[in-house]
Amino acid sequence: MTAVVLALPAPIDTLTGGYAYARKVLEALPEHGVSAQALQLPESFPRPSEAELGEAYRRLKAVPRDMALIADGLVFGALPLPMLKALGRPVIALVHHPLGLEHGLSTEEAQSLLASERAALAMAQHVIVPSRTTALTIQSLFGLSASAITIAPPGIEPVPRAPRPLEPNEPLKILSVGSIIPRKGFDILVDALALIADRAWESSIIGATDLDPNSVAALRKQIAARGLESRIALPGAIQPDRLAQIYLQADMFVLPSRYEGYGMVFAEAMAHGLPVIGAAAGALPEVVPSSAGLLVPKDDPYVLAGAILRLIDDPGFRRRLADGAWDHAQKLPRWKETAGIIANVLKRSQR
């Protein structure tokens, strides 16, 4: 049986999209004749200290040579070229989106990360990405050939359909899911909601609050300044079973990310039959069809407010998008298919 180790810079149960992808793939790989396990590296990646790099090297070097090795992009793109060479073994990279495209980086830091990732990817045995957009981005930024990249889009689980029937005069529930970091655009969402504060709505922003404390503090301050503390909830990250119930209680999904390498939460929202609104950035135009939602220019709270308002004020349009989201989601891959694509990469790599 083929065996693989997936190296990650945090515990496998971390509540972000990238780790959800890792968990689901590792769970499904045995169905394709691949035994799989996670290997945790220091959590400081992609900005490890010298000591943490040394510890990462020790753990990676200890992986048996008869096991395939996949390194998450947060790790792989930050490994220095001499270290990759010293490993003396092939490594497959799993890249959700380029490190240097994270929003909020200084120009110097972005260029440093892009240079590091360019050098590392040149050493990769193969590269796995979640979307055609990310594949094309990597080819353009780093000069990789199409044959060096495999697209393994995230899967979805069969889930019950939302939205729930609304009671008369009940406020619409607007759901957003994503770690509170600058790239997710929650500052734009709050400004947009402030513009339509006269309408009946409630909003929940669900996601990790420990990745960027400064962003969380700024968002709380912004919400308070707009007088929306009673209408916008920030409950933090929530376990998947509880989050699934929250999807069923929502009326629409809104996330104005400035960049997404795929956008798993949009697929999850559509799988629940929710109409979605996002920004036309990164892979979102690839993931969200016009029959399922509205995509607006990024960083424009006025246009975003107009899109939300349209769904609030036009129940018929909202229902049509909900139907389109549900129909589209039925055509999306399941996790078994995603794992099958990756299993084929692993089996080819060991020939």
Side-chain angles (χ1 to χ4, degrees):
M1 175 181 277
T2 303
V4 64
V5 169
L6 172 57
L8 301 158
I12 189 68
D13 59 357
T14 298
L15 297 177
T16 68
Y19 286 90
Y21 184 105
R23 287 193 300 275
K24 294 296 186 180
V25 166
L26 291 182
E27 289 170 5
L29 278 173
E31 297 183 62
H32 300 278
V34 177
S35 66
Q37 63 187 72
L39 171 66
Q40 186 182 335
L41 302 180
E43 295 187 37
S44 55
F45 278 91
R47 301 174 185 83
S49 66
E50 287 298 318
E52 289 162 333
L53 275 174
E55 178 60 19
Y57 174 76
R58 184 187 69 78
R59 296 182 195 180
L60 291 169
K61 189 72 172 177
V63 174
R65 292 298 297 262
D66 61 350
M67 301 182 75
L69 176 59
I70 300 177
D72 182 88
L74 289 171
V75 171
F76 191 85
L79 292 177
L81 199 55
M83 183 177 294
L84 281 170
K85 291 179 178 178
L87 284 174
R89 62 168 300 150
V91 183
I92 296 169
L94 172 59
V95 179
H96 293 285
H97 65 80
L99 297 175
L101 298 188
E102 188 65 53
H103 188 81
L105 301 174
S106 67
T107 300
E108 181 181 1
E109 187 175 16
Q111 291 302 317
S112 175
L113 286 170
L114 289 173
S116 173
E117 195 162 21
R118 182 180 296 110
L121 288 175
M123 292 282 293
Q125 182 184 24
H126 199 73
V127 181
I128 299 170
V129 298
S131 68
R132 183 176 59 87
T133 298
T134 300
L136 293 173
T137 300
I138 286 176
Q139 290 177 60
S140 174
L141 279 177
F142 305 129
L144 269 67
S145 67
S147 62
I149 303 170
T150 292
I151 301 169
I156 59 167
E157 303 286 354
V159 290
R161 181 174 178 175
R164 68 212 163 78
L166 277 177
E167 298 295 332
N169 302 317
E170 183 182 4
L172 269 75
K173 289 182 167 53
I174 300 171
L175 175 63
S176 301
V177 180
S179 300
I180 300 181
I181 56 176
R183 178 167 55 83
K184 297 298 182 178
F186 290 125
D187 55 325
I188 301 300
L189 175 60
V190 170
D191 280 345
L193 292 174
L195 292 169
I196 55 171
D198 60 325
R199 293 301 202 278
W201 55 260
E202 296 174 354
S203 173
S204 292
I205 298 174
I206 296 173
T209 56
D210 57 349
L211 299 180
D212 189 337
N214 290 335
S215 288
V216 176
L219 188 64
R220 292 189 186 280
K221 182 177 180 180
Q222 181 187 8
I223 291 170
R226 304 294 187 273
L228 299 175
E229 290 169 293
S230 65
R231 301 179 68 182
I232 301 178
L234 300 177
I238 290 177
Q239 291 296 327
D241 55 348
R242 173 60 183 143
L243 181 58
Q245 293 302 311
I246 292 173
Y247 273 114
L248 295 177
Q249 297 163 9
D251 298 299
M252 70 177 79
F253 181 89
V254 184
L255 180 62
S257 295
R258 295 176 167 104
Y259 186 87
E260 291 286 355
Y262 182 84
M264 284 176 55
V265 288
F266 285 89
E268 290 173 1
M270 290 187 291
H272 285 90
L274 288 177
V276 301
I277 299 175
L284 260 296
E286 177 184 347
V287 174
V288 178
S290 59
S291 61
L294 300 174
L295 297 181
V296 301
K298 68 177 182 179
D299 289 331
D300 191 330
Y302 295 95
V303 179
L304 179 60
I308 298 171
L309 196 60
R310 186 177 178 190
L311 264 65
I312 290 175
D313 288 348
D314 190 340
F317 181 61
R318 191 170 69 245
R319 283 194 297 271
R320 289 194 296 275
L321 288 185
D323 289 341
W326 176 261
D327 291 342
H328 178 69
Q330 308 316 303
K331 306 167 191 171
L332 294 175
R334 300 297 192 243
W335 284 108
K336 183 177 179 179
E337 297 173 55
T338 306
I341 295 170
I342 294 175
N344 287 335
V345 171
L346 296 171
K347 291 172 183 178
R348 289 198 306 269
S349 74
Q350 294 191 319
R351 288 174 187 164

